[in-house]
Amino acid sequence: MAMKFLFIGAVAASVANSALAFTTSPDGIKKAGAGVSIQSPGDLSLFDPNEAGKLQGTNDLTDRISSGAAFTIAPPQTIVDSPPAGAEVKEAHHFLEHLDANGDLPLNFAKPQAPAVATVLGRAKLISDDAPGDIEHVIMKLPDGMHYVEGQSLSVIPPGTDPKNGRKHKPRLYSIASTRYGDLLDGNTISLCVRRAEFYDPVTGIIDPAKKGVCSNFLCDVSPGDEVSVAGPVGKTMLLPEDPTTDVIMIATGTGIAPFRGFMHRLFMENTLAKHMFGGTAWLVLGVPVSG
């Protein structure tokens, strides 16, 4: 008995409303395998689960099939008190590695409407006296439980009110310049790289104090012990790649170096798993007006 197949819908429309039909003989179906694969046992030309699947070249499936009833599952690895002979052992910071595990990120520990309070631990000038402007490195102690990862940003709410409307100043966002462990490696500090925003009168060449940056000048003048209202952290996109073999290209000018400082410390300076596992190449292209 002959079988008839009729294709309708998108196929029918593509042939200008003409029906497309074909007839297949029983012998033809039988030769094609009658709906059952005609590949010989062990022929993986159509699909090799070891290569195209998720066995990652381990040959696990092939070994199990070829071993038959003799196949046994290897015993699970056990926790040992000492490393095996010949193993290279390295100590590493690890107590904050969970912060971005499984795709999770620390976000909005505090919001601008209800900011947290950070305490200034220190401040240092980053450029020489003969360089134009002022750039300061500010280290602050965060409240317990407030954490971040490299590439995120912190909001700072300067004290006082806006003279234009009498309301509290709006938060200013600063890229975080340290790793999750902080410059003190205690996991409870944060560093910012801040350029003092100043306006020079083009005629007199004198700084106009009425046009200075409110938040940047506040941060560039803080002293140890001062309290700073902060919110965040925020940021989900400008992060280090999850794959430690990925190359990293960083391009910045001036204080734009801030997030990349955190990247470089994590990949090359701090004794972390990220440093030991990084197998890519990192480029940093930095533009500055002077060498000092």
Side-chain angles (χ1 to χ4, degrees), residues 197-270:
E198 299 173 317
F199 176 78
Y200 287 82
D201 188 291
V203 177
T204 64
I206 300 176
I207 297 176
D208 185 350
K211 298 180 180 179
K212 68 179 181 180
V214 175
C215 194
S216 65
N217 277 266
F218 163 66
L219 289 174
C220 287
D221 292 331
V222 292
S223 299
D226 289 349
E227 294 185 341
V228 179
S229 296
V230 298
V234 296
K236 299 180 180 180
T237 56
M238 193 173 173
L239 309 174
L240 282 169
E242 293 183 7
D243 185 351
T245 64
T246 303
D247 294 341
V248 180
I249 302 175
M250 300 163 282
I251 303 174
T253 60
T255 54
I257 187 68
F260 301 143
R261 178 183 184 270
F263 288 1
M264 299 293 279
H265 275 230
R266 182 160 175 79
L267 296 178
F268 298 108
M269 298 184 67
E270 294 182 1

Side-chain angles (χ1 to χ4, degrees), residues 129-189:
D129 293 334
D130 59 345
D134 181 21
I135 300 177
E136 300 284 336
H137 184 78
V138 182
I139 303 178
M140 297 182 291
K141 179 180 177 61
L142 295 174
D144 291 339
M146 187 173 187
H147 298 292
Y148 58 91
V149 297
E150 302 74 22
Q152 290 189 306
S153 299
L154 182 77
S155 290
V156 177
I157 300 93
T161 57
D162 189 336
K164 296 180 180 179
N165 54 31
R167 300 177 182 176
K168 292 183 178 180
H169 289 291
K170 293 182 179 180
R172 271 68 166 180
L173 205 60
Y174 289 90
S175 294
I176 298 172
S178 51
T179 72
R180 65 192 69 190
Y181 295 103
D183 287 353
L184 302 186
L185 301 179
D186 61 353
N188 200 31
T189 53

Side-chain angles (χ1 to χ4, degrees), residues 79-154:
I79 299 176
V80 297
D81 295 327
S82 59
E88 182 180 3
V89 180
K90 295 183 178 180
E91 295 183 357
H93 272 79
H94 65 279
F95 62 92
L96 292 180
E97 297 303 307
H98 67 280
L99 291 178
D100 53 356
N102 303 318
D104 296 328
L105 289 171
L107 295 168
N108 295 314
F109 174 87
K111 296 186 176 181
Q113 297 83 356
V117 177
T119 304
V120 177
L121 298 181
R123 172 176 59 85
K125 189 172 183 178
L126 293 177
I127 57 177
S128 59
D129 293 334
D130 59 345
D134 181 21
I135 300 177
E136 300 284 336
H137 184 78
V138 182
I139 303 178
M140 297 182 291
K141 179 180 177 61
L142 295 174
D144 291 339
M146 187 173 187
H147 298 292
Y148 58 91
V149 297
E150 302 74 22
Q152 290 189 306
S153 299
L154 182 77

